[in-house]
Amino acid sequence: MDERVELGLALLERLEHDSLPLPDLLDRIETITTNPTLTRTILDEAELRGIIEREDGIVRVKSRQYVRFQEQVVTKEGDFHCQRCGSSLSTGHFIKLEAGEIGPFGSSCIRKVTGRE
């Protein structure tokens, strides 16, 4: 399976929302891929694995595994662009998951991506 699919699934497993409108969930997936086929594969596979349930444009997150900021979010200094908003960054926040690393994100986008905001 494509590495981006596994990264997307790992991210969805760790969202801190009970439910999200589909567009908000897609916003998170787009930090991994903007390819519509891969996005659909991530959604379908997440549903098959019991990570999410979809109904009437609302996605319910069934997992209760959250990103542990002290352990799974690391910062790196450098010249980066945020994966979510495209802003230029001198400090990038990265999420380290078993499936790989996601990022860089800015300080506010990391909270949005993980569901803390």
Side-chain angles (χ1 to χ4, degrees):
M1 188 172 289
D2 190 302
E3 178 183 297
R4 294 171 292 178
V5 173
E6 291 301 327
L7 280 172
L9 295 171
L11 179 61
L12 294 183
E13 282 182 319
R14 286 162 182 80
L15 293 179
E16 294 195 24
H17 294 285
D18 292 330
S19 64
L20 286 168
L22 183 58
D24 290 351
L25 187 77
L26 293 176
D27 180 64
R28 278 33 172 226
I29 293 172
E30 286 176 349
T31 65
I32 308 291
T33 182
T34 56
N35 178 308
T37 302
L38 284 175
T39 298
R40 180 74 173 176
T41 300
I42 291 168
L43 287 171
D44 290 346
E45 190 63 27
E47 195 164 27
L48 283 172
R49 292 187 190 187
I51 297 168
I52 63 168
E53 291 178 340
R54 294 184 280 180
E55 185 177 335
D56 298 328
I58 300 295
V59 179
R60 292 180 192 0
V61 180
K62 297 174 72 178
S63 176
R64 292 289 138 228
Q65 303 175 47
Y66 304 124
V67 171
R68 294 179 307 275
F69 267 68
Q70 278 65 31
E71 298 171 32
Q72 292 177 292
V73 175
V74 297
T75 58
K76 299 177 186 177
E77 300 299 318
D79 185 23
F80 304 111
H81 287 90
C82 179
Q83 286 293 107
R84 182 172 176 276
C85 72
S87 293
S88 184
L89 306 169
S90 59
T91 301
H93 295 77
F94 296 81
I95 305 170
K96 296 182 79 105
L97 303 170
E98 290 176 22
E101 188 174 88
I102 304 170
F105 301 105
S107 59
S108 61
C109 284
I110 188 71
R111 290 188 303 274
K112 181 77 170 177
V113 168
T114 59
R116 300 256 170 122
E117 190 172 281

